[in-house]
């Protein structure tokens, strides 16, 4: 395939100017034309075109090309110009001694020009030797008296600036023109693609080509030539090969320009500029390059003339990363590392930017000074602040190459592993595994804590082995389990021992084990080992340690958190569980930092005890702490727990925001399989509550990795699938999913209905299928367990479910559920119970219609369960005609009675009066007229009423008022 030839693209203006100069030269008018621009813009191509055009016009054309190799050759360019006319004179120029004031051949050239106009074309005048430069300047001074024109090209700034530039008096009466060539535009690049391939290129392809080549015609030509030879087409599908070829071409151009640079001082300056030119001023770059006899101005000119740099703010800069790499790869590795080290030291002495110094330290040899580690750690923090996790990891990994004390090295490795948990989980597990076995670092418990958040249960289980001196000292297995961080419980139902209660005297814990840091660390590792073991069962392994017993040292916050969660999921000793959960957030002795996993479990325990507001406060503090420490994996898990809290409290919008933020911190593809079912379950429930049923179905169809089925978290996913089946009006499938969820929870010892109300939902599904016996059995069992636990939310939900299933005394049972749920923090279940009761009373039938699973799927769901199972009040599910309105509209002019219903007594007098009028059917304008206030005032009062009573609108307000007045 012959080489591809491209025409002069977007050079019509320059060609017209040169044609005019050639035309005037035929009439005896001299001129000096200089074509400038950075390398590759086509200066020499334009000069070749002009020379050919002049020959065709009958002019005499003399050409020469200055090169770096001949920069020191005396009269090198003059010899090329005169060779065609006087070959003998050209050869003598290199041999004879230069006479003062001598200009060999100049007079003969001017004499010949009187008879035939002459065009002199000199390319790349930045490389002119001094003798040829003086000769050409003398020629320019004589141009007004001859029919001669000088056409030159240059790139950047010449080493010795010629005196024939525009505006200098040297040119006299001769026409002086300077043509600065611009890069190709996008249109010019598209024309080049059309010329090569004879078909237009895709807009995306052309845009990438113009951006990658910066519109430099020489680079565009070479890229398209290689691209066409490789058999590619100018389509968007071939953008990847295009970028690769462009980088190769730019690198090859840089290599050629570097080989032409012969001055050692310029080479050293170029290397220094490639290392730190973006960070240090040019005088400091010259200092780094080393002592040379070349002036700074000459170095600046040489660098710009090389074509490897561009001017920015008056100083040369190596802007292209490919060019920078080509410059530095020519150096030996040791010399390159030394240059970076010297540059970092110089930048540190002049107080340069920390991030820039850290970038210099990455490829540098070990410095050995403390400032290097401090700078790298500050760079780590700055990189995390802007989301550059890979760069942050590189900074801390480089810090480990410096000489460090063992304790400091362990802290850096821990900090590094906390970020690698997201970017490189396998590397993080290796680092943390080493830290869990490193005595004396003080980080064993924190490293184990981080292992659990990353899903590495093996390192967490074996971390305890280092604290046991002999087999006899190993803790005895105990019938009970720990839970997974922020996950459903894993405690056996048989474990009914009352947890120890922390006793405090004078603000300090009294007595008990853990009175020294070693005991405290062993207790922490013990509880974390329990969490790890029951998060993932691996009984087949021979090296698995027995499940350790929970320590009685509940003055240790980590122990208190695990105690609270274990007994919370069993559903025992609610007050003690609440006190233990709160103790998980109280700093212990010795100033040891609080662990994340026990505090997450403490928050989960507070959710079970209906202390959601307190749990939310603790989660907020945990989140602030994790963000200060830049621990992305901790942030993600905390946000996920808070998302479940929002779901329990009927705030699906807030849950969706927290889940999105958690996925931004820890993408699902980086999430450990043990936690994936839980995250997917929360996502499904949130989507269902927000009305995105299609997205929930897509999540449910997502296949789980095998390891995900080994975890207790799989119960959450089964529960969410059951909720989806309920929404899709498939009671048979819903019951199967709820049963499977229950089997998985019971297998892990979780019996408290506050964790998952699978029994009540399975009972409602069985009732819809006509299996009354199973429905009553499951509902009764949930009610018994909820009474044993005693929290209002699970007890009220169990009472409500039983009332919907049993036909006898349904109104009384609903009243009991309303009274119980009125004390619960989550108002969604309370609202549902109120609506069910109002419908049962208005229908005049104490039994109410039978529960129809999913019949009201089109209505907005009401979250009546911990994970937001969308359930409908019976009024919405009924297939029959609508009953009479719950509240009759009030007549205009009627006022609210003096005695307010009991449900409204927590409101102000103005709010009560407005709420009663709204409940009786009056619109906002009528209420405003009745009370002599503005409509905006009515809107604000009603908003306050809905917020205080946790209602969603007028329908719920009407039902609440009617029930309160009738009770």
């Amino acid at each position: 395939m012959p080489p591809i030839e491209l025409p002069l693209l977007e050079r019509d203006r320059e060609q017209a100017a040169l044609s005019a100069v050639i035309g005037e030269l035929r009439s005896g008018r001299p001129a000096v034309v200089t074509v400038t621009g950075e390398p590759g813009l086509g200066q020499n191509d334009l000069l070749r075109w002009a020379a050919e055009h002049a020959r065709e016009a009958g002019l005499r054309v003399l050409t020469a090309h200055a090169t770096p190799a001949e920069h020191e050759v005396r009269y090198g360019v003059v010899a090329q110009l005169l060779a065609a006319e006087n070959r003998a004179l050209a050869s003598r120029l290199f041999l004879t001694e230069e006479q003062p004031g001598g200009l060999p051949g100049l007079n003969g050239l001017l004499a010949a020009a009187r008879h035939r106009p002459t065009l002199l074309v000199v390319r790349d005048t930045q490389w002119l030797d001094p003798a040829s430069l003086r000769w050409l300047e003398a020629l320019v001074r004589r141009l007004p008296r001859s029919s001669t024109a000088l056409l030159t090209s240059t790139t950047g700034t010449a080493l010795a600036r010629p005196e024939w530039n525009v505006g200098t008096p040297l040119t006299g009466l001769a026409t002086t023109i300077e043509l600065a060539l611009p890069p190709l535009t996008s249109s010019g690049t598209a024309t080049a693609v059309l010329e090569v391939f004879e078909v237009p290129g895709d807009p995306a392809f052309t845009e990438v080509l113009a951006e990658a080549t910066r519109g430099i015609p020489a680079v565009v030509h070479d890229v398209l030539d290689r691209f066409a030879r490789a058999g590619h087409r100018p389509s968007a599908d071939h953008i990847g090969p295009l970028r690769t070829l462009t980088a190769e071409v730019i690198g090859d151009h840089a290599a050629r320009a570097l080989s032409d640079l012969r001055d050692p001082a310029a080479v050293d300056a170029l290397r220094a500029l490639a290392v730190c030119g973006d960070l240090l001023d040019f005088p400091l770059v010259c200092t780094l390059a080393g002592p040379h006899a070349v002036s700074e101005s000459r170095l600046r000119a040489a660098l710009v003339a090389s074509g490897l740099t561009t001017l920015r703010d008056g100083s040369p800069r190596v802007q292209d990363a490919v060019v920078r790499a080509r410059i530095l790869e020519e150096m030996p590795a040791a010399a390159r590392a030394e240059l970076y080290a010297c540059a970092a030291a110089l930048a540190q002495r002049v107080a340069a930017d920390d991030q820039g110094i850290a970038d210099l330290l990455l490829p540098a040899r070990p410095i050995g000074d403390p400032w290097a580690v401090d700078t790298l750690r500050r760079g780590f923090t700055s990189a995390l602040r802007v989301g550059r996790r890979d760069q942050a990891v590189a900074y801390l990994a480089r810090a480990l190459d410096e000489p460090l004390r063992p304790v400091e090295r362990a802290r850096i490795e821990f900090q590094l592993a906390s970020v690698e948990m997201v970017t490189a989980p396998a590397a993080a597990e290796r680092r943390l595994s080493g830290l869990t076995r490193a005595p004396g670092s003080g980080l064993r418990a924190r490293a184990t804590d981080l292992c659990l958040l990353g899903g590495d249960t093996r390192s967490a289980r074996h971390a305890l082995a280092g604290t046991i001196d002999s087999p006899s000292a190993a803790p005895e297995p105990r019938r009970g389990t720990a839970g997974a961080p922020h996950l459903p419980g894993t405690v056996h139902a048989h474990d009914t021992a009352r947890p120890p209660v922390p006793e405090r005297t004078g603000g300090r814990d009294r007595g008990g084990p853990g009175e020294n840091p070693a005991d405290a660390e062993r207790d922490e590792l013990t509880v974390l080992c329990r969490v790890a073991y029951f998060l993932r069962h691996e009984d087949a392994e021979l090296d698995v340690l027995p499940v350790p017993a929970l320590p009685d040292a509940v003055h240790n916050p980590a122990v208190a958190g695990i105690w609270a969660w274990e007994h919370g999921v069993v559903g025992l000793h609610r007050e003690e569980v609440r006190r233990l959960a709160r103790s998980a957030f109280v700093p212990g002795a010795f100033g040891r930092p609080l662990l994340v996993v026990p505090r997450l479990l403490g928050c989960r325990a507070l959710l079970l005890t209906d202390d959601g507001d307190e749990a939310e406060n603790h989660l907020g503090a945990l989140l602030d702490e994790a963000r200060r420490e830049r621990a992305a994996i901790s942030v993600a898990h905390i946000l996920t727990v808070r998302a479940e809290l929002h779901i329990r409290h009927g705030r699906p919008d807030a849950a969706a925001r927290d889940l999105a933020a958690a996925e931004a911190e820890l993408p699902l593809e980086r999430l450990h399989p043990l936690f994936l079912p839980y995250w997917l379950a929360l996502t499904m429930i949130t989507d269902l509550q927000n009305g995105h049923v299609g997205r929930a179905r897509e999540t449910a169809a997502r296949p789980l990795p095998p390891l995900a089925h080994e975890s207790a978290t799989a119960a959450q996913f089964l529960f969410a699938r059951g909720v989806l089946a309920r929404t899709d009006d498939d009671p048979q499938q819903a019951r199967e999913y709820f049963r499977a969820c229950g089997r998985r929870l019971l297998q892990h010892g979780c019996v408290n209905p506050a964790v998952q109300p699978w029994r009540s939902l399975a009972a409602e599904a069985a009732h819809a299928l006509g299996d009354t016996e199973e429905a009553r059995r499951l509902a009764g069992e949930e009610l018994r367990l909820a009474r044993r636990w005693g929290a209002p939310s699970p007890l009220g939900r169990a009472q409500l479910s039983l009332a919907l299933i049993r036909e006898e005394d349904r109104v009384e049972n609903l009243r009991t559920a309303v009274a119980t749920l009125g004390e619960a923090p989550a108002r969604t279940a309370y609202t549902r119970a109120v609506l069910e009761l109002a419908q049962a009373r208005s229908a005049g039938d104490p039994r109410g219609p039978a529960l129809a699973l999913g019949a009201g799927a089109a209505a907005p769901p009401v979250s009546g369960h911990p994970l937001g199972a969308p359930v409908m009040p019976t009024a919405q599910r009924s297939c029959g005609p609508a009953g009479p309105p719950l509240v009759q509209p009030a007549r205009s002019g009627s006022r609210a009675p003096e005695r307010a219903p009991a449900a409204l007594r927590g409101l102000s007098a103005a709010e009560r009066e407005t709420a009663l009028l709204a409940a009786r059917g009056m619109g906002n304008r009528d209420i405003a007229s009745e009370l002599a206030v503005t409509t905006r005032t009515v809107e604000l009062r009603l908003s306050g009423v809905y917020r205080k009573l946790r209602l969603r609108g007028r329908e719920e307000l009407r039902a609440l008022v009617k029930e309160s007045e009738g009770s």
Side-chain angles (χ1 to χ4, degrees), residues 373-395:
V373 176
D374 295 339
T375 302
L376 288 167
R377 297 186 76 172
R378 289 194 297 270
F380 165 82
T381 303
S382 300
L384 284 184
R385 188 178 296 117
V386 297
R388 297 171 57 195
R389 287 176 179 159
D390 291 339
Q391 191 72 10
V393 167
Y395 289 146

Side-chain angles (χ1 to χ4, degrees), residues 877-897:
R877 291 193 301 267
S878 175
C879 298
L886 298 180
V887 183
Q888 296 294 333
R891 291 176 300 173
S892 176
S894 63
R895 297 298 299 268

Side-chain angles (χ1 to χ4, degrees), residues 434-491:
L435 289 176
T436 58
R437 293 176 171 84
S441 65
L443 294 172
R444 297 187 64 192
R446 294 187 66 190
T448 306
D449 186 56
L450 192 57
C451 280
L452 285 180
L453 292 176
D456 180 14
T457 57
R458 181 172 304 178
S459 296
R461 290 197 316 272
H462 292 287
L464 184 62
T467 63
I468 302 174
D469 298 329
S470 64
S472 60
E476 291 296 328
R478 182 173 180 271
R479 296 201 60 170
T481 69
H486 73 272
L487 301 173
T490 52
V491 182

